[in-house]
Amino acid sequence: MTATDRSIELITAAAQAAADRLAHDIIAYDVSDVLSITDAFLLASAPNDRQVKSIVDEIEERLNKELGAKPVRREGDRDARWILLDYVDIVVHVQHSEERVFYALERLWKDCPELPLPDDAMKTRGKAAEHAELTGADETDGELS
């Protein structure tokens, strides 16, 4: 089984919205073969809580406006360290860079096929490490690229 056309449409729009809000290390996985509850995961990160919220708000607004999709669940708003948007067909994870490194979701889903993303989203790969280097933060524990 593979992700549906609708799931890919949602992932593509969400990835572009995240890239437009300067998310780091955007990646999507087709998890339909290993999970029965959703088709795909989108992962993105940001270096601060305010940007995490901004990315999530943009994704939510864009999917609603362009595709008529609203999340059935939104979790993690209080701390804005890891916000999850559940659209049933897809699940979007936007994490603070520190949480992204610590939880390393890429390691959990690395055996699942990666979904193609818009060029703007692909260009975000390695941005977390680049940002950490510029700010002197330590990102060496995670595999974000």
Side-chain angles (χ1 to χ4, degrees):
M1 181 181 230
T2 60
T4 65
D5 290 343
R6 174 68 172 167
S7 297
I8 292 169
E9 180 180 42
L10 290 167
I11 285 286
T12 301
Q16 185 61 55
D20 290 349
R21 286 288 182 242
L22 306 177
H24 296 168
D25 300 304
I26 302 168
I27 191 166
Y29 293 103
D30 180 340
V31 296
S32 61
D33 283 340
V34 293
L35 291 177
S36 61
I37 57 172
T38 192
D39 282 349
F41 279 169
L42 180 75
L43 310 176
S45 56
N48 61 63
D49 303 351
R50 184 183 303 163
Q51 191 175 355
V52 167
K53 280 187 175 186
S54 175
I55 293 164
V56 168
D57 290 345
E58 182 66 19
I59 291 170
E60 196 169 7
E61 183 178 324
R62 183 101 40 111
L63 293 187
N64 186 23
K65 188 176 178 181
E66 293 179 5
L67 302 171
K70 293 183 180 182
V72 296
R73 190 172 73 212
R74 180 175 170 153
E75 294 182 5
D77 270 333
R78 188 177 322 156
D79 296 330
R81 302 289 291 182
W82 181 350
I83 299 177
L84 179 143
L85 295 173
D86 183 353
Y87 286 90
V88 179
D89 294 327
I90 70 166
V91 176
V92 177
H93 300 267
V94 182
Q95 298 174 298
H96 189 286
S97 297
E98 291 171 1
E99 269 65 16
R100 180 88 179 257
V101 169
F102 183 80
Y103 290 101
L105 295 179
E106 289 88 346
R107 290 185 199 153
L108 292 174
W109 305 110
K110 68 181 176 194
D111 293 335
C112 295
E114 210 175 302
L115 291 170
L117 296 175
D119 287 342
D120 290 343
M122 296 300 290
K123 290 176 186 173
T124 67
R125 302 284 173 89
K127 291 290 183 184
E130 188 177 301
H131 181 268
E133 193 174 298
L134 290 173
T135 61
D138 183 16
E139 298 278 343
T140 58
D141 190 33
E143 296 176 19
L144 296 179
S145 53

